[in-house]
Amino acid sequence: MINSLNMSPIKIRKICCIGAGYVGGPTMSVIADRCPELEIRVVDINKERIAAWNDSDLNKLPIFEPGLDQIISRTRGRNLFFSSEMKKSIFGADMIFISVNTPTKTKGLGAGQASDLSWLEASARQVAKYANGHTIVVEKSTLPVRTAQAIKEILNTANRENQKNKISKTFSVLSNPEFLAEGTAIKDLENPDRVLIGGEDPDAVKALVNIYLNWVPRKQIICTNLWSSELSKLAANAFLAQRISSINSISAFCEATGADIQEVATAIGMDKRIGNQFLCAGPGFGGSCFKKDILNLVYLSGYFGLPEVANYWNQVLLLNTWQQDRIYKIVLEKLFGTVGGKNIAILGFSFKANTNDTRESPAIRIASDLLEEGALLSIYDPKVSFKRIREDLEQFSSNNQGTWKMASSIPDALENVDAVLILTAWDEFFGLDWNSLASLMRSPAWIFDTRSVVNRKDIEDTSLNLWKLGEGN
Ligand code: UDX
Ligand code: ADP
């Protein structure tokens, strides 16, 4: 641990962030907001995305995050700029954050497990080419352990070339993993549980610590070596995902025995050693991180000769897929073993509430399975676009016997359906007037509630049947 953190001799004035996605966009917005003296340029190869970040209509920002629009309206054009001008933005920067996508590899060695680092490598090469003077490079993307080494090697090779050509460029590499959760990104960034900075160059570490000190108390900023920082991010996500698989396994147990998952979760969570967070049973975890990070752990465990460790973490993933399959099979069973030609509404397509992100959303697998069985789906989500859903469903399955359409509201989705399946806990799905909604549906209709948003007493006077995850019926 690096403890003595006085003022850094390195003064940061200009920051560049490569990657204007769910991590880069909100993170840089909050830094710009809290550090008005810094000039921050966020660059992305995706011109459409940059145009959306620059749109004067804040409803058209490329990502939806509560509170983001207000911060953008304060900072954009003041000290926060979005552009596709890679060379200029990198050249002038004292510190460069790399915040590009690192999806799971789809082919080659480690396919299906290891992360595809091509975007990261391309970014490091751009930094090596265009940077000027001494530059601190900060890895922000979720990455497998020892990726900083790869970045260092690319930068050092470039450095040797530069020295030959008498160009002066030097680099320090830091790891500063992001712990924000989508839907609460602004709150998480403004009030982080901790900020983690890994690195070996104390001056570079101090320079980054000084930025965070603008709003984060010193005791919440942890400085470690590079590898601890990288591994901590993977391990934190694996632990969180493991809790979800644990509670989901108990949800199936509750349905089988008559126990109630809400009561069990409350009872477990009141034990201070366990804590009450991340105990909501649901259709399985989605999002860009959990699955990818566990796959990375599994891959690396195998690589380092630790098959038992690999099997242990793999089980968390297997349980997650099993939970999604289980829900689809329950729908099928309750609808007399066939959904062919039946109308089913899906409420919620994003992987969680308050985001328009659908990466690894349980809705994709469950909707695709129903479509393969010939169901006629009407999908409603307050923030996910038609284009996004179409791409997700097309990528997941090519064997759809059914059809789907996008609904414009909850009543529109429920018109004439045999069942409604609630997959995301959007605020507007709570406290619905099921008495009037029931009249839109075909009787006898089912509600399948996987997020515990429906109160059983609210359907007592209707003809509706209710199945709740972790409760049954
Ligand atoms: C996660 C981590 O929380 C965050 O620290 C990291 O930086 C990125 O990955 P995110 O994926 O955005 O964040 O959202 P999170 O709130 O963790 O939810 C992930 C998934 O787990 C969602 O599908 C959510 O619905 C599900 N979940 C979460 C549950 O099913 N039950 C819970 O109790 C909590
Ligand atoms: P995350 O959730 O990690 O932020 P996203 O996919 O939302 O992931 O965002 C990553 C962004 O990085 C994308 O907008 C993508 O276009 C951008 N990107 C990928 N490679 C590069 C690159 N070499 N230079 C600039 N931007 C890049």
Side-chain angles (χ1 to χ4, degrees):
M1 289 239 180
I2 298 167
N3 282 321
S4 65
L5 285 164
N6 307 318
M7 290 304 288
S8 168
I10 307 172
K11 179 83 190 133
I12 305 297
R13 290 183 187 83
K14 293 187 179 183
I15 287 180
C16 168
C17 173
I18 306 181
Y22 283 90
V23 172
T27 308
M28 292 304 122
S29 306
V30 170
I31 296 183
D33 200 32
R34 298 300 174 131
C35 312
E37 71 288 356
L38 293 176
E39 184 187 301
I40 302 180
R41 294 191 173 273
V42 189
V43 288
D44 202 296
I45 37 172
N46 183 338
K47 292 207 165 80
E48 213 181 305
R49 206 167 220 193
I50 289 297
W53 278 112
N54 283 323
D55 204 301
S56 54
D57 180 355
L58 292 173
N59 289 318
K60 297 204 177 127
L61 292 180
I63 68 175
F64 171 74
E65 268 301 333
L68 178 64
D69 50 354
Q70 282 129 306
I71 295 188
I72 292 288
S73 69
R74 285 200 289 273
T75 53
R76 197 175 56 188
R78 180 189 78 184
N79 65 331
L80 178 66
F81 305 91
F82 293 92
S83 90
S84 327
E85 288 180 304
M86 214 65 70
K87 184 175 173 182
K88 190 172 138 198
S89 308
I90 293 176
F91 180 80
D94 309 304
M95 183 177 272
I96 297 175
F97 288 83
I98 302 187
S99 218
V100 298
N101 35 328
T102 50
T104 304
K105 276 180 94 169
T106 51
K107 30 182 200 272
L109 191 65
Q113 287 189 336
S115 273
D116 185 344
L117 300 180
S118 15
W119 291 271
L120 182 95
E121 193 183 323
S123 309
R125 289 191 192 287
Q126 283 164 321
V127 173
K129 192 165 165 196
Y130 299 132
N132 174 37
H134 184 68
T135 311
I136 299 172
V137 179
V138 186
E139 54 168 30
K140 198 85 189 134
S141 319
T142 302
L143 296 163
V145 186
R146 297 209 162 245
T147 305
Q149 190 61 37
I151 300 181
K152 270 185 178 175
E153 277 165 25
I154 294 170
L155 297 176
N156 286 339
T157 313
N159 220 6
R160 282 195 289 277
E161 288 298 308
N162 294 329
Q163 277 160 4
K164 264 195 256 156
N165 301 326
K166 302 218 174 341
I167 302 170
S168 161
K169 286 189 196 188
T170 49
F171 301 98
S172 295
V173 178
L174 302 179
S175 154
N176 174 217
E178 190 48 76
F179 292 106
L180 66 81
E182 287 176 33
T184 52
I186 301 302
K187 194 167 91 8
D188 297 342
L189 285 160
E190 290 182 334
N191 250 318
D193 286 352
R194 78 308 207 180
V195 166
L196 181 54
I197 300 174
E200 283 133 28
D201 171 357
D203 290 339
V205 172
K206 282 179 206 167
L208 185 53
V209 169
N210 286 338
I211 291 177
Y212 283 109
L213 279 178
N214 282 291
W215 77 98
V216 181
R218 179 65 191 89
K219 62 178 189 319
Q220 277 159 248
I221 305 177
I222 308 170
C223 301
T224 66
N225 75 34
L226 269 176
W227 325 127
S228 300
S229 170
E230 289 179 325
L231 179 59
S232 300
K233 166 75 186 210
L234 290 193
N237 276 346
F239 271 58
L240 290 169
Q242 179 203 43
R243 278 176 79 92
I244 301 170
S245 281
S246 297
I247 199 71
N248 283 344
S249 75
I250 300 297
S251 73
F253 211 92
C254 286
E255 289 156 34
T257 57
D260 177 330
I261 193 64
Q262 302 298 331
E263 292 175 355
V264 175
T266 306
I268 298 172
M270 281 177 76
D271 185 327
K272 287 197 191 69
R273 294 166 303 175
I274 297 174
N276 60 8
Q277 309 260 317
F278 268 66
L279 285 181
C280 294
F285 54 78
S288 70
C289 284
F290 284 174
K291 183 174 168 195
K292 181 180 76 176
D293 287 355
I294 295 180
L295 284 172
N296 262 321
L297 266 189
V298 170
Y299 179 70
L300 291 171
S301 304
Y303 178 82
F304 290 114
L306 303 167
E308 290 79 6
V309 180
N311 289 342
Y312 174 76
W313 287 110
N314 201 33
Q315 197 57 37
V316 173
L317 291 177
L318 294 179
L319 203 293
N320 198 51
T321 312
W322 173 78
Q323 180 80 339
Q324 293 167 27
D325 287 347
R326 194 170 84 73
I327 290 168
Y328 144 72
K329 285 178 187 153
I330 286 169
V331 174
L332 207 61
E333 179 206 311
K334 297 284 187 200
L335 297 182
F336 310 110
T338 171
V339 292
K342 290 185 180 157
N343 296 318
I344 299 178
I346 301 241
L347 295 188
F349 204 83
S350 56
F351 78 95
K352 63 186 275 196
N354 290 322
T355 178
N356 59 346
D357 195 350
T358 62
R359 285 177 288 181
E360 302 295 339
S361 177
I364 302 174
R365 174 183 286 271
I366 296 173
S368 298
D369 284 342
L370 291 170
L371 285 170
E372 285 191 10
E373 290 279 343
L376 312 173
L377 303 182
S378 53
I379 302 176
Y380 171 71
D381 187 289
K383 290 290 172 195
V384 181
S385 67
F386 170 80
K387 184 167 168 262
R388 182 71 268 144
I389 296 177
R390 189 183 58 202
E391 281 172 16
D392 286 339
L393 293 177
E394 275 173 4
Q395 264 169 30
F396 198 86
S397 160
S398 53
N399 187 28
N400 289 343
Q401 305 297 314
T403 58
W404 69 275
K405 66 180 169 77
M406 189 91 179
S408 58
S409 64
I410 299 170
D412 183 31
L414 264 54
E415 190 76 51
N416 220 15
V417 296
D418 300 281
V420 50
L421 176 53
I422 303 170
L423 293 178
T424 313
W426 283 99
D427 275 352
E428 62 188 88
F429 301 162
F430 288 83
L432 289 172
D433 178 357
W434 287 104
N435 256 320
S436 67
L437 291 172
S439 62
L440 301 171
M441 300 161 76
R442 272 206 328 205
S443 194
W446 275 92
I447 305 175
F448 298 97
D449 178 10
T450 69
R451 295 280 191 177
S452 202
V453 307
V454 182
N455 206 325
R456 198 166 279 284
K457 76 173 174 19
D458 291 344
I459 58 124
E460 263 167 13
D461 299 331
T462 70
S463 57
L464 295 167
N465 299 301
L466 173 64
W467 176 88
K468 285 182 81 167
L469 187 102
E471 198 184 302
N473 275 345

